[in-house]
Amino acid sequence: MTGRLGRLGRLGRLGRLGRLAVSTAVGVTLYMSSSSARAGEPVIVAPAVIQGDLNKAIARQLEARLREVVQTSDLEIIEISAAFARRAAACADDTCRATLIAQTSARFLLVSEITLDNEDYHLRLTLYAATGALTARIEDTCELCGLTEATGLMGDLGARIGRKVDVATRAAFFEIRSQPPGAKILIDDKLVGISPLELPIEIGIHELRVEFDEYIDIERELEVAAGESAVLDFELQRLPPKAALDRTKLYVGLGWGALAAGVGAVAGGAAVITLDGRPITSDCSGANVDVDGNCRWRHATLEGGIGLTLGGVVMIGAGVALLVMAAKGQRANSSKTTRLMPAPGGIAWWF
């Protein structure tokens, strides 16, 4: 019975090994087919971080397998000194990693972690960009594994991280059209072509501007994700004629004038209203003062104050209306953010 269980255990381990070998081969083949036309991306492979009771010779074999698969995946490993590699593996923040990567020609840093707990191997690969920020992290556990199975699992993870690099560096592809066609297309203040135009755009946030003589410029903030593709359509609006511009200037002048006069009238009306019923001090003497000392002559300004205030309110309203009309004439397209989002059947974008 014991011998039969031992054979079943070996068969189970061989089955897992076979699946790992197949998945590794398929992963490497798929990645190579997708990146065969691309130059190898430079990567620093830091020495593995070892945890648990793992023999150094076994750790070196696992690291060698990782480097082999990374190179097979059409990535270029940047050779660095042992001391530099140890510092890279020990970095705990984005700034430290970015500083070290900047000292080389690499665009990525790959850190592997190998943990052995009894006969369970836990493998983790972490990929950092040139900024030091996390780009991808994949991990897996091989339970009750030997070295052969652990090596196969490391190869599988290495192929998968290669595909992560491919996605992270793949530019988005856009078709930019305008109505009317023939507009200048500028990205980050650099002329890239004339619409209609098809071009790749690197991932990140960019300023896109569409220009055409005698038309209002369109400016957009374009947020681009890796591997996106979309069509951007822009409908340009003609600049207003000179007569309209002169009329707009007239509206601005009249509007501010009416607004100032209206505010003054409201303030004056309020002051006049407060005088109503108060004694006229210049005529408060002699017979104009009664036995109680009250002046017989008083201001009667209530109606006039109300009229002046209402007139001021009307002028303020007219001034605001004129300024609104002027603003409509001067209005240009304000900056917006273009975001690409997954949608059923393709990509959707908003302006």
Side-chain angles (χ1 to χ4, degrees), residues 25-311:
V26 171
V28 171
T29 302
L30 288 175
Y31 177 75
M32 289 181 67
S33 65
S34 67
S35 61
S36 58
R38 295 165 48 84
E41 292 293 340
V43 179
I44 297 173
V45 179
V49 178
I50 307 300
Q51 298 181 9
D53 188 17
L54 182 64
N55 184 284
K56 290 185 178 180
I58 294 177
R60 284 195 295 270
Q61 290 186 53
L62 293 174
E63 289 184 84
R65 177 56 180 161
L66 174 61
R67 293 175 67 89
E68 177 187 351
V69 172
V70 167
Q71 288 175 322
T72 305
S73 299
D74 201 25
L75 302 177
E76 178 188 355
I77 297 179
I78 302 299
E79 298 299 337
I80 53 178
S81 67
F84 189 95
R86 285 193 295 271
R87 291 203 306 273
C91 275
D93 57 73
D94 294 356
T95 302
C96 174
R97 287 186 287 266
T99 301
L100 288 175
I101 296 173
Q103 298 176 33
T104 71
S105 59
R107 293 186 61 187
F108 296 94
L109 168 66
L110 178 59
V111 177
S112 59
E113 299 174 62
I114 306 172
T115 302
L116 178 61
D117 183 11
N118 292 325
E119 294 186 28
D120 298 341
Y121 283 85
H122 183 77
L123 308 180
R124 173 189 290 174
L125 300 183
T126 306
L127 185 69
Y128 298 99
T131 60
L134 176 67
T135 297
R137 174 173 288 154
I138 55 176
E139 54 189 308
D140 205 345
T141 299
C142 183
E143 298 179 353
L144 299 176
C145 284
L147 175 59
T148 303
E149 291 172 298
T151 303
L153 179 59
M154 180 63 86
D156 177 53
L157 296 182
R160 289 165 57 190
I161 208 70
R163 294 194 293 274
K164 296 287 186 182
V165 172
D166 182 53
V167 171
T169 56
R170 191 185 307 145
F173 196 81
F174 287 84
E175 180 181 355
I176 302 176
R177 303 183 301 203
S178 69
Q179 185 59 41
K184 296 178 182 178
I185 308 299
L186 296 93
I187 296 179
D188 298 330
D189 293 325
K190 295 180 181 178
L191 179 64
V192 296
I194 304 297
S195 67
L197 176 67
E198 295 182 358
L199 78 164
I201 302 178
E202 292 186 356
I203 58 175
I205 297 177
H206 302 276
E207 292 296 330
L208 172 67
R209 187 164 74 252
V210 183
E211 297 180 354
F212 198 86
D213 289 344
E214 299 183 1
Y215 284 80
I216 299 173
D217 295 348
I218 296 179
E219 295 184 358
R220 297 287 184 268
E221 185 180 85
L222 190 64
E223 186 175 321
V224 180
E228 301 283 7
S229 61
V231 177
L232 305 181
D233 283 298
F234 297 96
E235 185 171 349
L236 298 163
Q237 302 295 325
R238 276 191 175 275
L239 287 169
K242 187 176 185 301
L245 293 175
D246 293 341
R247 186 168 57 251
T248 298
K249 292 179 181 178
L250 177 63
Y251 287 162
V252 170
L254 291 175
W256 282 113
L259 194 61
V263 171
V266 169
V272 170
I273 290 173
T274 59
L275 286 176
D276 185 65
R278 293 188 179 186
I280 303 175
T281 55
S282 60
D283 290 332
C284 288
S285 61
N288 293 330
V289 179
D290 61 18
V291 293
D292 295 325
N294 296 320
C295 185
R296 296 179 183 275
W297 302 105
R298 295 180 177 274
H299 292 284
T301 58
L302 180 61
E303 292 81 0
I306 292 175
L308 186 59
T309 301
L310 291 176

